[in-house]
Amino acid sequence: MKITVNGRPLEVEGTKDLLTTCLSAGIEIPHFCWHGDLGSVGACRLCAVRVHDGPEDTEGRIEMACMTPVREGQRIEVMDPEAERFRARIIEWLMVNHPHDCAVCEEGGACHLQDMVVASGHHRRRAEVPKRTHRNQDHGPFLTQEMNRCIGCYRCLRFYRDYAGGKDFEVLGAHDRVWFGRTEPGALESPFAGNLAEVCPTGVFDDRWWSRHYARPWDMAETPSICANCSVGCNITLFERGGTLRKAQNRTHGAINGSFLCDRGRFGALAAEAARPTHPTRKGAEILWTDAIAGARALVARGAVGIGSPRACLETNFALRRLVGEDRFFAGCGAAEAALVARMAAILRQGPAGIASIRDIERADAVLVLGEDLTGTAPRAALALRQAARDAERRLAAEKGVPEWMDAAVRVAGEGRRSPVALVTPLPDALDEVALWPLRRAPAEVGAFGQAVAAALRGEEAAPEARAVAEALAAAEAPVVIAGAGLGLAGPAEAAAAVAAALGPRARIALFPPEAGSVGLALLGGTGLERAVAELEADPRPVILLDASLPDRAPADIVDRLMAAATEVMLLDWLDGPLAARADLMLPVTAPAETSGTYINHEGRAQRFFTGRPSDLVPAWRLLAPLCGATETTLDEILAALAHDCPDLAVVREAAPGAEAAPVARLPARASGRTAFDLAGRVPEGQPRIDADSALAWSMEGAQGLDAPPALRTRAERPGLHSASSAWVGTEGVGGPVRGGDPGVALLMAGSTGPGSTGPGSTGPGTPLEDLPGEGFRTLPLHDPFAATAADRASPPLAERAPGRRLVLHPEDAAALGAAEGVRLLVDGLPAPASLALDPAVPRGHVALTGARGYARFVTLEVAP
């Protein structure tokens, strides 16, 4: 379809609105209420342009670009004098009640309203009436609110209620006195509430941590990073000033997080700001680093065993494996989890279906979820599934002539129809409201249901529910099957593979492992702790641990046996976890936000993250390398060693340019300069810090914005566009991939061989895992979307938001134990982490536990004396 904009001929798609089309072509049109992922509602009227229907239409008319469909032969004039005057009046009307506080507003310098005011030329206030004022509301530890800055664009409501499915946020009032918030003060319930700080085009909602540790947007160093709080691998930007992490913000990735993050990902990196170990200790007493390194060398010389961590990056686990040797390297989790993650990697390599990214889930027209509590284990995938559930609604609206981009009209015309989403979980789920089939099955029965669906797809007999799900998947054009390690059972993943294979090439599969480093650890080949304990009990040796929170990842009795069998224990971690006090030698290292490395996400995409905050500590991989006589001191050198020792992983070096690439500036061009850092002469000036692990410079020197490679890009902006609302500038068209290509490189391509398909820790291609029976109560994990691990709970905002621990039984099971609600139980003879709660939704024979991790063990329960 051909149109002309400002005299420039364009060849465009005919399925979008005019505003989206122009922005995708790089033609700027002022706007407020429009958002690339939220569609058009025409609430602000700022995107006025003159539209001519064709060559014969010489007069044209003023129309709102966001509400105007693209038509063949259109001529659009953005800078038409009447359109400019119209937009200027809109700005002036909006500013009648807006506070004159740009100089002190936290959003100043990164405010979309500010950008649009400057673009419109508005600089003089004619209104002399008293300004409208609103009361603010407490929204919990994540967000601040300043309602007097609201311009009524409705973005917050459209994201929170319509896109993310939140129920506790409304618009109240009428006309020009609308107010957005809760009916009662309190923390917003949605695990995606933090996005309001970016969705809002003004300073109504802001990051509360940033407010408490404020720095001007143009004076913060910006570093590209990867969320380390689950296996999805969302891209984030870390903002630092004066050695303090001020905030984290979404960094667009076309295949993964798009425009939005979960709250765990947004605030998880702030764990680096918590109280942490800073000095090495021997049996709890502080020692010098020279003595600590000497002790570490002596321990290694005695043939130490290495225990990796699914929380650690690929380079750290590799450095430990190289130090102790492949035969003495084990995964820091139970054997069942280690085998399950390795099996997931093998399934993806076998290629029963294409590997589903988050964007693939979002675009699916039928979805089967087997056992996974996505809101707790992979929240960004849960948000994507909410969008997939609307596919039937969009199709019905299209049949009625309503285009997809007209989002509010689609919701009316779609009549609330839902796509065929089958959610098979043991407990009621947050996504039940969008599922066509919210099905409850005991954990051991989830895999059996999936196998029944696969059988029905192959034409075999199956129960009615399984047959109905199979028919819906078979009729879909882009079906997706989802499973994971959330239950600690292999059955859901094996069933997902069977369903995907039965569906054929059009299907995609997503398997979510427990943590950010789980896939990387599995690809290095480490088996679980049980084997390490058996070898240590037969031949006691020193142990090197990478995880002070190991009891969160393996059964307590196995961890106790490991600590008892080790002759000495050396711990390298950034957290003061439960094993820190039991270690003979503790070496504190940098947090993920303070180091550089590589994570491999659930789809096998290797992505690089970089140092977001300087630290006096060093990364674990940099401490480990010299202990075996190696000379690697930089990230590029350790990656070269990885490529040499593990050729199948050599491709991870291509995830980002190395330190020798052209420099990229962390500080924006608008930074105040050296005098701002001089603190009125109290701090002597010096050279900017050097980052030996990347091409990122701690200064304004180097490539800025879109001139930087995608993996190193700190910001996507143009002159006059400085806010998060302008993220579309950095993409290949609105909603498309990042300009220059989405960062990361694929490892787990279907049909390939390599780590994860054979070798230690893997069952090999085509060899299914079986879940073993046991006696007692089977643990059923309760996953928390705000704080799933000790690393999450270390983040001050997440710790403030996270609920308390829970232990839940079916009332009949509790009655059989003689236990009443509120009593304390013993779990395998140890005090339970919480008092007993009762819920008939818990399957009989199961105990639902917060932090049970999902290693699917069987436990004994008794009432505490």
Side-chain angles (χ1 to χ4, degrees), residues 204 260 268 470 553 680:
V204 176
F260 306 120
R553 294 167 174 78

Side-chain angles (χ1 to χ4, degrees), residues 543-585:
V543 169
I544 301 175
L545 289 176
L546 292 182
D547 202 332
S549 302
L550 192 60
D552 285 350
R553 294 167 174 78
D557 59 326
I558 297 297
V559 176
D560 289 340
R561 288 172 56 193
L562 174 77
M563 300 297 285
T567 58
E568 297 173 84
V569 175
M570 181 173 78
L571 174 66
L572 293 86
D573 201 357
W574 60 277
L575 283 176
D576 191 11
L579 295 187
R582 300 171 63 181
D584 298 287
L585 184 62

Side-chain angles (χ1 to χ4, degrees), residues 24-71:
S24 297
I27 299 169
E28 296 173 20
I29 298 178
H31 59 275
F32 280 130
C33 65
W34 175 91
H35 187 286
D37 290 288
L38 304 179
S40 304
V41 295
C44 71
R45 321 305 287 172
L46 185 63
C47 60
V49 295
R50 184 170 292 278
V51 179
H52 301 265
D53 288 333
E56 297 79 16
D57 185 357
T58 58
E59 182 176 350
R61 60 195 175 279
I62 299 298
E63 292 192 13
M64 303 305 115
C66 74
M67 300 298 289
T68 304
V70 175
R71 297 188 181 90

Side-chain angles (χ1 to χ4, degrees), residues 371 373 425-428 441-444 446 486-489 777-783 806-809 841-859:
D373 172 14
T425 57
L427 296 171
R441 295 291 188 276
V446 171
L487 294 177
L489 298 172
F777 286 86
R778 186 191 288 274
T779 57
L780 175 58
L782 295 175
H783 299 285
R806 300 178 64 212
L807 182 150
V808 192
L809 283 176
V842 176
R844 292 292 309 275
H846 292 76
V847 53
L849 281 167
T850 301
R853 177 64 180 183
Y855 41 78
R857 63 183 300 224
F858 290 86
V859 298

Side-chain angles (χ1 to χ4, degrees), residues 305-324 328-333 515 517 520-521 524 529 543-551 553 562-563 569-577 579-580 583 585-592 599 618-625 627 791:
V305 165
I307 309 296
S309 171
R311 174 159 52 80
C313 66
L314 179 66
E315 291 81 358
T316 295
N317 281 315
F318 165 72
L320 178 60
R321 193 187 84 156
R322 187 173 59 155
L323 175 65
V324 300
R328 294 202 296 269
F329 176 72
F330 302 92
C333 58
E515 298 195 52
L521 181 60
L524 289 172
L529 280 182
V543 169
I544 301 175
L545 289 176
L546 292 182
D547 202 332
S549 302
L550 192 60
R553 294 167 174 78
L562 174 77
M563 300 297 285
V569 175
M570 181 173 78
L571 174 66
L572 293 86
D573 201 357
W574 60 277
L575 283 176
D576 191 11
L579 295 187
L585 184 62
M586 164 69 177
L587 304 184
V589 296
T590 51
Y599 284 124
V618 298
W621 53 261
R622 187 168 286 153
L623 276 178
L624 291 169
L627 297 181

